[in-house]
Amino acid sequence: MRPHIDATACRAEKALRATDPTEPLLIIQDTSYLNYSHHPSTAGLGEISKFKDRISDGRILRACGLLLHSSLALTTDGIPLGFLDQKLWTRTRPIGVVTKSGWNFTRIPIEEKESFRWIEAMRNSSVRISDPGRLIHIGDREADIFELFGEAKAQGTHFVIRLKTQQRCVEGGGRIFDQVETVSPKGRYKLRVRKSDGSYRIAKVEVKFYPVAILPSVSKKKLDSISAWVIAVIETGAPKGVEKIDWKLLTDLPVRSFESACEKIYWYEKRWQIEVFHKVLKSGCRVLDCRLQDAARLIRYVGVMTVVAWRIFWMTTISRHAPELKPEAVMAPSEMATLNLYVRSRKQRLTAQSSAHDWIRSLASLGGFLGRKCDAEPGPFVLWRGYLRLQDIMLGISLVPP
Ligand SMILES: [Mn+2]
């Protein structure tokens, strides 16, 4: 991953230099569970879930596979610049300590917990950028970790994280989840939410915000309280049968106006892009089909494929959000030359003056994209297929003696 991470840091620095100093760069962290339970002969895989059991030959097996924790650098326009940090591993031992009352996670120091990955990732990605103050780390409910809030302060960086812990207490008494109920809404906002069938719906939400000083949990009493702002996003009039939007976000950035709250919500909405990346990796690049028989090999394979998947994902967003970019930004000269050999009619051949958008569409056409008037921009799957074919064509050419 090293060269990719270095190149991402370089792209991130360029993006920061090219934009206004008030413009942040989003660092989206998330964990994806790669389930290889259907490959029973692969050795060295760890458990990925305590719950998802299946029965085979009368034995109960837990879902097993790899865990992937990524920190994706994303511009506020939604262009993924790459990963500033990544961790790919298998679980070798159960997490937590079993006490009389069951699993106990609070007695373990954070450095030994698996959730330490969030703190490590924040640290690693912050030190790779010259001005960590312009980074906003975004995380879902899994990132509701008290030490992570403190780490942001230590690194001089910022966060917008969704709260999970019902018990989060604040100075002056009370719990955030109870307090929110008593605060009156400051305005309304519209969210575009993805439904389970892949389509979108518009959710009307009420926005509330107020400052808090968060206390550490009882077992971490030594830690200082953290000053932050809560932004609550609560859907009103949700249609029947859908899960109502109810987000309690926490940010260390001051939220003094409704506009400022909406900006943070907008950044949090961008978190979805990492889920899109996971989909490109799994469904687009088909990493779950890989039949390597050893976890260590599988880790190396998936590691390489994350970079390939990022590139496909990046191309997809470039052709949608920055179509006028120069083609050299997305393709190597050898790839462009080969692609042009494949295009039969001289009229349709592209030149160095053609935009990245046109080149990406041409690559997609190798994957079966028809480019009719009614077609949307090419998606990751068709680009992945086009990319594979292009690599094969290039290999074929290289095998022919000059
Ligand atoms: Mn997650």
Side-chain angles (χ1 to χ4, degrees):
M1 287 308 286
R2 198 70 233 183
H4 171 77
I5 287 171
D6 289 344
T8 303
C10 184
R11 280 187 288 271
E13 294 285 358
K14 272 190 199 159
L16 288 171
R17 273 200 302 275
T19 50
D20 190 83
T22 57
E23 178 70 19
L25 184 67
L26 308 178
I27 307 295
I28 303 179
Q29 280 193 45
D30 197 35
T31 306
S32 178
Y33 298 80
L34 302 165
N35 191 337
Y36 285 97
S37 300
H38 54 295
H39 296 184
S41 56
T42 302
L45 294 171
E47 286 175 10
I48 54 170
S49 164
K50 287 209 291 287
F51 312 106
K52 278 182 194 155
D53 297 335
R54 71 192 170 87
I55 296 170
S56 161
D57 305 333
R59 287 179 308 158
I60 296 173
L61 299 173
R62 279 182 177 164
C64 60
L66 307 178
L67 287 89
L68 170 70
H69 189 79
S70 315
S71 303
L72 177 69
L74 190 88
T75 67
T76 53
D77 303 333
I79 294 181
L81 301 179
F83 301 103
L84 279 180
D85 191 58
Q86 195 185 72
K87 190 177 173 185
L88 189 56
W89 75 104
T90 55
R91 277 186 188 141
T92 50
R93 60 188 169 107
I95 29 161
V97 170
V98 184
T99 62
K100 266 186 211 153
S101 53
W103 290 88
N104 187 331
F105 298 98
T106 58
R107 297 190 181 185
I108 307 169
I110 184 77
E111 289 79 8
E112 288 170 27
K113 277 191 192 179
E114 208 173 46
S115 52
F116 189 61
R117 65 182 188 269
W118 291 88
I119 292 155
E120 255 184 324
M122 179 184 268
R123 195 174 289 167
N124 293 344
S125 45
S126 301
V127 298
R128 283 171 185 143
I129 297 298
S130 56
D131 184 2
R134 285 179 72 185
L135 303 182
I136 315 286
H137 298 261
I138 312 278
D140 61 8
R141 280 176 290 183
E142 269 189 291
D144 182 2
I145 304 161
F146 192 82
E147 288 89 339
L148 186 64
F149 312 149
E151 184 66 24
K153 207 172 175 188
Q155 297 295 337
T157 189
H158 306 288
F159 62 83
V160 176
I161 277 160
R162 186 170 167 198
L163 291 171
K164 172 179 74 180
T165 316
Q166 304 271 355
Q167 273 74 21
R168 278 265 174 256
C169 293
V170 293
E171 252 171 39
R175 294 188 298 191
I176 291 180
F177 278 60
D178 300 332
Q179 264 182 353
V180 164
E181 306 294 325
T182 64
V183 176
S184 54
K186 305 270 182 16
R188 292 177 161 280
Y189 186 85
K190 275 181 191 163
L191 280 180
R192 197 160 160 258
V193 195
R194 223 182 126 90
K195 292 197 284 190
S196 50
D197 65 354
S199 64
Y200 290 88
R201 69 182 181 91
I202 299 293
K204 286 179 197 151
V205 294
E206 282 181 347
V207 178
K208 304 173 175 183
F209 55 90
Y210 65 99
V212 286
I214 296 202
L215 295 173
S217 61
V218 184
S219 61
K220 300 169 187 167
K221 262 187 212 149
K222 282 172 288 176
L223 301 172
D224 292 333
S225 65
I226 301 278
S227 314
W229 290 70
V230 172
I231 304 171
V233 182
I234 301 151
E235 184 168 8
T236 52
K240 265 195 188 135
V242 303
E243 206 185 330
K244 177 185 154 191
I245 300 288
D246 184 358
W247 296 347
K248 276 100 179 176
L249 305 177
L250 188 78
T251 176
D252 63 326
L253 292 163
V255 184
R256 299 207 170 84
S257 66
F258 176 63
E259 286 68 35
S260 165
C262 290
E263 177 187 54
K264 312 302 179 284
I265 299 168
Y266 175 76
W267 294 342
Y268 187 79
E269 283 182 84
K270 287 274 174 266
R271 200 199 71 80
W272 186 254
Q273 291 303 306
I274 200 157
E275 306 289 356
V276 176
F277 163 74
H278 291 148
K279 191 154 184 251
V280 175
L281 182 68
K282 290 176 186 173
S283 320
C285 300
R286 309 266 167 115
V287 293
L288 298 179
D289 293 347
C290 177
R291 300 242 162 219
L292 286 171
Q293 294 200 335
D294 175 297
R297 290 180 184 181
L298 203 54
I299 284 178
R300 287 196 286 271
Y301 167 79
V302 175
V304 171
M305 289 310 289
T306 57
V307 182
V308 176
W310 161 74
R311 192 171 165 203
I312 304 282
F313 178 34
W314 186 55
M315 281 187 186
T316 321
T317 53
I318 288 288
S319 80
R320 289 174 194 187
H321 299 300
E324 293 313 316
L325 214 69
K326 290 223 157 62
E328 308 90 87
V330 287
M331 264 184 239
S334 55
E335 290 173 335
M336 292 196 278
T338 311
L339 201 51
N340 251 351
L341 283 177
Y342 178 83
V343 178
R344 292 259 181 84
S345 93
R346 195 170 284 183
K347 258 190 194 167
Q348 285 174 4
R349 273 181 210 156
L350 298 170
T351 65
Q353 275 72 47
S354 311
S355 65
H357 175 256
D358 292 340
W359 280 98
I360 292 169
R361 283 176 81 95
S362 176
L363 180 64
S365 70
L366 261 191
F369 178 69
L370 295 175
R372 293 162 302 194
K373 267 186 192 154
C374 57
D375 287 333
E377 290 298 325
F381 185 64
V382 85
L383 271 172
W384 157 246
R385 242 176 7 205
Y387 185 74
L388 270 189
R389 280 193 81 195
L390 180 64
Q391 298 308 318
D392 283 342
I393 294 168
M394 287 172 75
L395 177 69
I397 291 173
S398 76
L399 292 176
V400 177

